[in-house]
């Protein structure tokens, strides 16, 4: 079942994915009622700058909105900001809000994103919303101490910003090498060294059992003291409100290659676990670019396009003076090789093999044009042997 151009469409999630879906529906000719529901009181805003420009103070908060009020007005949306969805029924075509309101739909797009995982004990800072970022920013600066639990991309970015503001940072990571599961051990060690070079007290192989007043307690019972604690240990997809809805939930809203979770119901962004036919696997991607792209794809497919959503995922990260860009699906890779530059100089392009094909590329300190041929090769499902010839050509 696909929505008609005049049917009632509800988007749950006033996020980058939700906004992209709304804009695409209007652009593709949907003239019917269009409701956008969000649990935050604000209109859709950009989240990647929260751990970068907002936390550092380089941007004022008013730079975050994704669209101007006039742009949003032009979409003729029934906006329900600050209204949390707590239930849904596919059989009845309804979404239930926390205030008791029931919203009916002919087509539904779920774009509710994720929320931070937390640790037991004393409440600690997390970093997901604008309020989170501003509250943490107020705790940073010379003479302050910060313990960051988790050296993934979010924790690493926050640690780098805090250190740059003069904060004494202790970065705690349970794995032996930060981000090794995502980018490989060699790159993980290089990123770890960058923290050490900037005065961060990085402790790997160190688990945290709970947050305590004035710091965190480690698995061995000892306490790391800190004025402020940031917990950056991953996230959970916001799917609890869909329990009993008739939709399949498994570390996200389970969708097919069209981002469809059921007839007339589509998922988009961080909350959606869909089958990406380009890589032949199910994936849930928590990156800004994917959110917008999947929001557009979900909207088009809801209107009947029925085109598989098969992107080459993209993400970026800013840490200290390093600009990191990556395309593809790097997790679970079998081999990483340096195509250009060197890890020692922190200026290189690395490529990744999974099975017998090229599946990823990651560049640090390189111009964007260096990754374009690799991005195209990933999109073309290039065999590793052929990619190896490209490597040899680059070396020559």
């Amino acid at each position: 079942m696909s929505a008609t151009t005049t049917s009632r469409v509800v988007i749950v999630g006033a996020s980058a994915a939700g906004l992209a879906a709304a804009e695409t529906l209007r652009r593709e000719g949907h003239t019917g009622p269009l409701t956008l529901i969000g649990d935050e009181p604000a209109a859709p805003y950009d989240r990647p700058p929260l751990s970068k420009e907002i936390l550092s103070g380089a941007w004022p908060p008013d730079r975050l909105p994704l669209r101007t009020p006039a742009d949003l007005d032009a979409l003729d949306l029934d906006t329900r900001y600050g209204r949390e969805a707590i239930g849904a029924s596919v059989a009845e075509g309804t979404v239930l809000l926390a205030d008791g309101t029931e919203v009916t739909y002919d087509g539904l797009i779920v774009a509710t994103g994720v929320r931070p995982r937390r640790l037991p004990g004393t409440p600690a800072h997390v970093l997901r919303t604008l309020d989170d970022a501003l509250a943490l920013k107020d705790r940073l600066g010379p003479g302050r101490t910060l313990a960051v639990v988790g050296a993934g991309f979010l924790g690493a970015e926050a640690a780098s910003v805090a250190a740059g503001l003069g904060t004494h940072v202790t970065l705690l990571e349970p794995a032996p090498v930060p981000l090794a599961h995502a980018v490989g051990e060699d790159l993980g060690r290089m990123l770890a060294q960058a923290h050490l070079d900037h005065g961060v007290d990085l402790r790997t192989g160190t688990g945290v059992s709970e947050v305590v007043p004035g710091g965190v307690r480690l698995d061995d019972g000892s306490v790391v003291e800190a004025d402020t604690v940031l917990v950056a240990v991953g996230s959970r997809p916001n799917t609890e409100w869909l329990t009993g809805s008739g939709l399949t939930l498994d570390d996200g809203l389970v969708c097919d290659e069209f981002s469809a979770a059921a007839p007339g119901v589509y998922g988009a962004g961080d909350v959606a676990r869909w089958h990406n036919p380009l890589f032949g696997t199910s994936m849930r991607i928590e990156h800004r670019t994917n959110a917008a792209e999947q929001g557009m794809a979900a909207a088009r497919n809801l209107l009947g396009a029925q085109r598989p959503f098969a992107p080459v995922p993209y993400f970026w990260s800013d840490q200290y003076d390093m600009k990191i860009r990556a395309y593809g699906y790097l997790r679970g890779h079998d081999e990483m090789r340096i195509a250009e530059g060197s890890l020692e100089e922190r200026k290189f392009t690395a490529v990744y093999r999974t099975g017998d094909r090229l599946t990823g590329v990651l560049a640090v300190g390189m111009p964007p044009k260096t990754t374009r041929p690799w991005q195209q090769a990933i999109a073309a499902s290039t065999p590793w042997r052929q990619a190896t010839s490209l490597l040899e050509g680059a070396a020559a």
Side-chain angles (χ1 to χ4, degrees):
M1 181 182 80
S2 61
T4 67
T5 56
T6 57
S7 58
R8 178 182 297 275
V9 176
V10 171
I11 301 169
V12 184
S15 56
L19 176 61
E23 291 180 325
T24 302
L25 286 165
R26 291 304 192 209
R27 190 166 53 246
E28 297 291 326
H30 177 71
T31 57
L34 183 53
T35 300
L36 180 64
I37 299 167
D39 61 356
E40 290 187 66
Y45 62 87
D46 214 10
R47 295 188 191 276
L50 296 179
S51 60
K52 306 175 182 72
E53 291 86 356
I54 296 296
L55 197 59
S56 69
W59 283 14
D62 60 12
R63 284 193 62 173
L64 285 184
L66 289 168
R67 297 293 182 270
T68 66
D71 290 336
L72 294 174
D73 288 345
L75 295 174
D76 189 23
L77 301 175
D78 169 22
T79 56
R80 312 283 184 96
Y81 300 144
R83 311 280 287 279
E84 182 183 4
I86 62 170
S89 170
V90 171
E92 298 178 7
T94 59
V95 171
L96 178 64
L97 305 185
D99 63 4
T101 304
E102 196 170 72
V103 183
T104 61
Y105 69 83
D106 300 305
L108 174 66
I109 295 177
V110 176
T112 44
V114 298
R115 66 185 184 282
R117 293 177 182 269
R118 297 179 183 267
L119 291 175
T122 305
H125 289 262
V126 292
L127 192 49
R128 176 66 184 174
T129 68
L130 175 58
D131 287 345
D132 293 338
L134 294 177
L136 180 59
K137 176 179 176 293
D138 287 343
R139 302 289 298 171
L140 305 180
R144 300 292 184 91
T145 57
L146 172 70
V148 180
V149 185
F153 284 110
L154 179 63
E157 288 179 354
S160 67
V161 169
L165 293 173
T167 312
H168 177 74
V169 179
T170 302
L171 181 56
L172 305 165
E173 169 59 41
V177 180
L179 289 166
H181 66 287
V183 301
E185 288 198 3
D186 289 344
L187 267 67
R189 282 190 286 268
M190 182 274 294
L191 295 172
Q193 188 59 50
H195 290 300
L196 298 173
D197 290 348
H198 286 83
V200 170
D201 180 7
L202 172 63
R203 305 186 192 184
T204 59
T206 303
V208 175
S209 61
E210 64 175 335
V211 182
V212 297
V216 295
R217 189 181 309 281
L218 305 183
D219 288 346
D220 64 8
S222 63
V223 172
V224 172
E225 295 182 354
D227 301 331
T228 305
V229 176
L230 170 65
V231 175
V233 293
S235 57
R236 299 181 188 276
N238 289 321
T239 57
E240 287 78 7
W241 69 281
L242 293 171
T243 300
S245 65
L247 298 170
T248 302
L249 309 175
D250 183 9
D251 184 32
L253 174 64
V254 177
C255 303
D256 64 13
E257 67 269 29
F258 304 104
S259 297
V265 180
Y266 290 78
D270 299 3
V271 74
R273 173 170 292 282
W274 92 105
H275 180 80
N276 186 334
L278 179 60
F279 296 89
T281 190
S282 172
M283 58 179 66
R284 188 172 64 79
I285 302 294
E286 296 182 20
H287 298 310
R288 172 68 175 80
T289 302
N290 184 78
E293 291 178 348
Q294 195 164 25
M296 292 187 285
R300 293 188 183 108
N301 286 339
L302 177 62
L303 292 176
Q306 288 304 286
R307 289 195 293 268
F309 181 57
V312 176
Y314 167 71
F315 73 86
W316 77 95
S317 179
D318 296 321
Q319 298 178 33
Y320 305 108
D321 56 351
M322 297 183 295
K323 183 74 173 184
I324 303 167
R325 297 183 178 88
Y327 290 92
Y329 194 61
L330 280 57
R331 291 177 182 269
H333 63 269
D334 297 311
E335 182 181 356
M336 184 279 289
R337 292 176 62 177
I338 300 299
E340 183 179 359
S342 71
L343 290 174
E344 292 74 22
E345 296 178 1
R346 295 177 192 162
K347 186 176 182 181
F348 61 87
T349 301
V351 293
Y352 294 79
R353 173 182 67 83
T354 304
D356 62 357
R357 60 170 286 196
L358 173 72
T359 52
V361 59
L362 183 147
V364 174
M366 304 292 281
K369 66 180 181 180
T370 61
T371 58
R372 287 175 193 149
W374 298 107
Q375 177 192 3
Q376 294 165 358
I378 295 165
S381 300
T382 302
W384 182 251
R385 181 175 297 179
Q386 185 177 340
T388 302
S389 68
L390 294 175
L391 280 170
E392 293 170 351

